[in-house]
Amino acid sequence: MKHLQIDYHFVRERVIKGDLLVQHVSSADQFADILTKGLSTPLFRHHCSNLMLGSSKHMIAGECQDIKCSASATCQRE
């Protein structure tokens, strides 16, 4: 907790001095979520693309293998 208090006061002082501008970032744009949360396939791919993590053709565990049925609710998993 002490480290959080030190960090908080450090950032607070910089904001007051005008050295740092703190802006809101919507949850849809939190690219670090790819490392900390289970995301939906479209959001995962979006973050991979924004972070330039190789191909956007990642396979997600449990994801439909057949491209034709990926948008369909009737996809059969193996």
Side-chain angles (χ1 to χ4, degrees), residues 1 11 17-18 48 68 75 78:
M1 200 61 191
V11 171
K17 289 170 77 176
C48 281
K68 293 177 189 174
C75 180
E78 295 178 3

Side-chain angles (χ1 to χ4, degrees), residues 10-78:
F10 175 82
V11 171
R12 185 174 175 268
E13 289 173 7
R14 296 302 182 266
V15 169
I16 290 170
K17 289 170 77 176
D19 296 338
L20 183 65
L21 175 64
V22 179
Q23 296 180 333
H24 173 76
V25 177
S26 73
S27 58
D29 295 326
Q30 293 285 353
F31 302 137
D33 284 355
I34 196 171
L35 305 172
T36 61
K37 297 180 180 174
L39 302 174
S40 65
T41 300
L43 194 53
F44 176 82
R45 287 186 176 151
H46 174 72
H47 289 339
C48 281
S49 174
N50 285 328
L51 293 172
M52 293 187 257
L53 295 175
S55 171
S56 63
K57 305 263 186 213
H58 298 283
M59 291 304 298
I60 310 298
E63 181 181 14
C64 183
Q65 301 288 327
D66 185 1
I67 277 190
K68 293 177 189 174
C69 74
S70 63
S72 170
T74 60
C75 180
Q76 299 294 320
R77 292 186 184 151
E78 295 178 3

